[in-house]
Amino acid sequence: MPKSVVSLIRNPKTSSYKPPSAPPLLLLLVIAAMLPAAASAAAVATTPLVAFLQRLQSAALATLGSDGFDPKLYVDLPLKRNLSEVEAAFAALPRVAGVVPAPDLEQFVDEYFGAAGSDLVQAEPADFVAEPEGFLPKVKHPKVRAWALEVHALWKNLSRREADDVKKRPELHTLLSLPGSVIVPGSRFREVYYWDSYWSIRGLLASKMYETAKEIVRNLLSLVENYGFVLNGARAYYTNRSQPPLLSSMIMEIYKKTHDLEFVKQSLPLLLKEHKFWNSEIHKVTIQVAQGKRHSLSRYNAMWNKPRPESATTDEESASKLSTAAQKKNFYHQLASTAESGWDFSSRWMSNSSDLTTLETTSIIPVDLNAFIYKMESDIAFFAKLTGDSVTSESFLAASKARRAAITSIFWNSQKDQWLDYWLIKKSNSEEFYQWEAHHQNHNIFASNFVPLWIGAYSSDAYKDGPKVEKVLKSLQNSGLLQPAGIATSLTNTGQQWDFPNGWAPLQHMIVEGLANSGSEEARSLAEDIAVRWIRTNYVAYKKTGAMHEKYDVEACGKIGGGGEYKPQTGFGWSNGVVLAFLEKFGWPHNKGIDCDS
């Protein structure tokens, strides 16, 4: 192994990955990597309401202090009166040394705002049945079955419809109007989120709630129709970015269950529109390999370079250590781009895992994003063929084959037997592509290194160094990611929530499903073992707390996850969905214990 590569493989629990160049050069390279995006990913305009609510957020922090403060609450508040009237009342509030006294602020908020989340009201889904016919037939254990029915019943708690005022007076709300009812993740996440919805749908399908699943997709399709892409979430402050693109995967899973061809026909034009967004100059990057062949791949790249409104006070505090306006602008852009990844935040995106201001997400080509887009292209090819559009089908089949080849060429590392994120290094401002170099792969271990299992990116042919299920399986087993309660997100404990020791439902599901569908009995056995660990930790934590959780600490069974920029949340859409999907896939026999010590 070349020395330059060896130098990148360190103990991931004690050190961080840094691209192999001196700091001054690294800064120039990061700036260079930003240049292609600057023109096409210009910041979208904010709304007057969001801008005012950010000012209220800052005032509230000054009044109340940071202990227990959640900045998102303030940008979710619906107005009771016109914005101009509310702004005038805010300007007239008394201030002591520039700070609004707490009683005055409390009275102002009570008088001029509804409660955060009141723009959505609870609404039981029409297709909810307490115990659906054919529900989880492989689950034989009475305790597990009773718990699964409780998790199933949580769909009622998470189902919402818009309050009437949202459509009548949209200017009073940051909530964006959608055509149908929604499933929210839970707790502070009071609105629809993009990639969360995929795993909620997987659970809804296990719950036989097909119409609710379709309604979720129709809501997301309406966002594509109105904005050109699925927003991060259905709030006015999320119009500057998307999230991991799983819309086609949602439609595919629904089609598999319902065979609703009309649903596919209605969705296909908007899937094409979303694909165009992810392959526009905002996200597209060209990499040239040694043989001169060029590959097109995609990166996360938000259209934003200011503090995120939902976390503005937090972002401003994080940026306070930076000395120039340009550095802060770039940092805010990286924060928003990382939020687009769904992994906000993780050492995966940092050049120094102990310093959030070293986020360089737009300088990284992510393995999982390109796996998702490969699947999007494959799905579109299938849907187009299904609807009789052979030209589109053939075009997207070719696109999917090209991306699959790129995934192997750019990300696959035959020494680690994993797919590794690639750091962008611009060779020359005059070139339109990046030159691939092996030592620019990120050799740290993340669960995302194994996400291509989900799309079957391994090879069945006999070429020597290609991805093979057996190789990837052994690499996963030796990676350190497999923990007593599931798969860790990384091996680095940074205090960020998308790092060790947290495990997340989406990552468990993609890796388990990829292993289970690989055709390898050994891989399927490991998949079931991971699923059992994950189900147990969810069950035990539920019995302790009475809730399903956003994330779990995989070092111990039944332990809730922590870290990150907000308190741990409950609810929780994707955790519920993955548990139900695992129980549907693997079941739970009478004689298998469900407690941690079983």
Side-chain angles (χ1 to χ4, degrees):
M1 189 184 299
K3 186 176 179 181
S4 59
V5 176
V6 173
S7 67
L8 300 179
I9 305 175
R10 306 176 180 136
N11 180 349
K13 289 194 176 183
T14 58
S15 63
S16 61
Y17 169 82
K18 295 183 181 180
S21 51
L25 176 59
L26 174 60
L27 181 58
L28 292 173
L29 293 172
V30 171
I31 293 170
M34 289 292 299
L35 289 175
S40 58
V44 299
T46 192
T47 68
L49 175 58
V50 171
F52 167 69
L53 291 175
Q54 272 189 249
R55 297 200 301 275
L56 174 63
Q57 180 192 98
S58 295
L61 177 63
T63 298
L64 303 174
S66 59
D67 187 30
F69 186 81
D70 184 358
K72 184 177 183 295
L73 180 143
Y74 294 91
V75 291
D76 290 352
L77 294 173
L79 273 60
K80 293 179 180 177
R81 307 183 196 180
N82 290 334
L83 178 59
S84 57
E85 186 179 346
V86 177
E87 285 184 306
F90 179 69
L93 286 173
R95 286 167 170 82
V96 179
V99 177
V100 179
D104 297 285
L105 181 67
E106 184 179 348
Q107 183 179 347
F108 169 73
V109 170
D110 286 346
E111 182 175 351
Y112 288 94
F113 299 90
S118 62
D119 38 18
L120 286 168
V121 296
Q122 200 157 338
E124 183 168 325
D127 55 353
F128 176 82
V129 177
E131 185 164 4
E133 185 178 351
F135 179 68
L136 305 184
K138 297 180 187 177
V139 177
K140 306 299 185 184
H141 194 295
K143 282 186 180 179
V144 178
R145 185 162 194 85
W147 170 60
L149 286 168
E150 290 183 41
V151 173
H152 161 72
L154 292 175
W155 298 129
K156 292 193 298 180
N157 298 352
L158 298 175
S159 179
R160 304 281 190 276
R161 65 168 179 81
E162 290 173 5
D164 294 340
D165 196 52
V166 175
K167 279 190 172 65
K168 290 178 184 175
R169 301 289 306 277
E171 73 279 7
L172 303 183
H173 302 268
T174 59
L175 186 75
L176 300 176
S177 183
L178 296 172
S181 297
V182 303
I183 298 290
V184 299
S187 297
R188 76 193 290 269
F189 300 111
R190 307 173 181 93
E191 51 285 312
V192 167
Y193 283 81
Y194 183 5
W195 79 315
D196 295 62
S197 296
Y198 173 76
W199 287 280
S200 290
I201 283 174
R202 292 300 297 263
L204 289 165
L205 295 176
S207 291
K208 313 299 182 185
M209 296 172 65
Y210 304 145
E211 290 306 313
T212 299
K214 288 179 187 178
E215 200 158 27
I216 291 174
V217 167
R218 292 189 188 104
N219 288 330
L220 300 181
L221 289 169
S222 76
L223 292 173
V224 179
E225 191 168 19
N226 292 329
Y227 297 95
F229 60 97
V230 183
L231 309 185
N232 182 148
R235 290 274 177 188
Y237 50 76
Y238 285 141
T239 57
N240 56 67
R241 62 183 187 260
S242 187
Q243 262 192 338
L246 292 167
L247 182 58
S248 73
S249 296
M250 300 179 206
I251 295 165
M252 179 64 78
E253 293 303 323
I254 291 170
Y255 178 75
K256 286 178 185 177
K257 292 284 189 179
T258 66
H259 303 288
D260 187 340
L261 183 57
E262 188 58 33
F263 180 68
V264 171
K265 286 180 179 177
Q266 292 168 358
S267 304
L268 185 55
L270 292 169
L271 287 179
L272 296 175
K273 192 172 183 179
E274 186 192 31
H275 181 267
K276 185 177 180 181
F277 169 76
W278 282 103
N279 287 275
S280 69
E281 291 307 309
I282 298 172
H283 295 102
K284 184 178 177 180
V285 179
T286 302
I287 310 288
Q288 179 171 287
V289 294
Q291 302 87 346
K293 182 175 177 57
R294 295 181 185 178
H295 296 287
S296 291
L297 291 162
S298 301
R299 63 177 164 180
Y300 294 111
N301 191 16
M303 298 169 285
W304 196 248
N305 54 20
K306 304 169 189 175
R308 295 166 297 153
E310 74 280 10
S311 301
T313 53
T314 305
D315 291 356
E316 288 163 357
E317 173 63 25
S318 297
S320 63
K321 64 190 286 186
L322 299 172
S323 55
T324 70
Q327 287 174 330
K328 291 181 180 181
K329 188 175 180 180
N330 177 60
F331 175 54
Y332 294 142
H333 180 58
Q334 299 305 322
L335 285 168
S337 299
T338 311
E340 185 170 63
S341 79
W343 283 50
D344 43 333
F345 296 100
S346 170
S347 60
R348 181 182 177 194
W349 313 113
M350 303 178 205
S351 60
N352 178 351
S353 64
S354 63
D355 184 354
L356 187 66
T357 65
T358 66
L359 283 170
E360 295 173 17
T361 307
T362 60
S363 296
I364 297 167
I365 308 295
V367 168
D368 45 1
L369 172 60
N370 286 280
F372 300 147
I373 298 175
Y374 162 80
K375 189 169 186 306
M376 181 197 302
E377 290 163 345
S378 300
D379 290 343
I380 290 173
F382 174 81
F383 294 145
K385 184 176 182 180
L386 199 63
T387 59
D389 185 349
S390 59
V391 173
T392 299
S393 179
E394 289 170 10
S395 172
F396 275 85
L397 184 61
S400 70
K401 288 179 178 177
R403 192 173 298 267
R404 179 170 174 147
I407 287 170
T408 300
S409 180
I410 304 303
F411 300 129
W412 177 249
N413 184 288
S414 59
Q415 293 166 329
K416 294 181 76 71
D417 291 327
Q418 298 173 21
W419 295 269
L420 307 180
D421 290 339
Y422 187 78
W423 285 69
L424 293 172
I425 304 295
K426 190 86 170 174
K427 286 296 182 184
S428 165
N429 287 336
S430 64
E431 293 175 350
E432 297 178 355
F433 56 86
Y434 296 86
Q435 187 68 44
W436 187 87
E437 296 183 32
H439 61 277
H440 293 153
Q441 289 182 327
N442 185 346
H443 285 250
N444 281 345
I445 295 174
F446 301 95
S448 52
N449 297 8
F450 298 94
V451 165
L453 283 167
W454 188 57
I455 60 161
Y458 39 81
S459 174
S460 58
D461 60 31
Y463 74 98
K464 182 179 177 183
D465 292 325
K468 300 289 195 304
V469 172
E470 295 76 15
K471 291 180 177 181
V472 179
L473 175 64
K474 185 171 288 188
S475 180
L476 177 60
Q477 289 170 323
N478 295 331
S479 67
L481 292 173
L482 299 183
Q483 295 290 318
I487 301 168
T489 308
S490 77
L491 300 184
T492 310
N493 192 340
T494 62
Q496 300 296 342
Q497 62 174 350
W498 286 85
D499 270 320
F500 189 88
N502 284 343
W504 294 80
L507 296 172
Q508 316 300 313
H509 183 260
M510 286 186 286
I511 294 172
V512 164
E513 190 163 73
L515 291 169
N517 295 338
S518 68
S520 161
E521 281 303 314
E522 187 181 359
R524 193 191 188 285
S525 177
L526 178 60
E528 184 166 2
D529 178 61
I530 295 167
V532 165
R533 299 184 205 189
W534 188 252
I535 291 166
R536 278 200 176 114
T537 205
N538 279 255
Y539 174 85
V540 172
Y542 181 89
K543 290 300 178 181
K544 285 179 184 175
T545 66
M548 295 290 287
H549 296 266
E550 180 191 22
K551 54 187 177 280
Y552 295 86
D553 181 334
V554 293
E555 285 190 291
C557 177
K559 194 173 180 182
I560 298 160
E565 62 177 350
Y566 54 81
K567 291 180 179 179
Q569 304 294 296
T570 60
F572 197 89
W574 63 19
S575 297
N576 307 350
V578 169
V579 159
L580 293 175
F582 279 172
L583 288 171
E584 183 176 54
K585 175 78 172 176
F586 300 107
W588 202 279
H590 280 291
N591 58 352
K592 180 181 285 189
I594 186 62
D595 296 314
C596 288
D597 55 359
S598 299

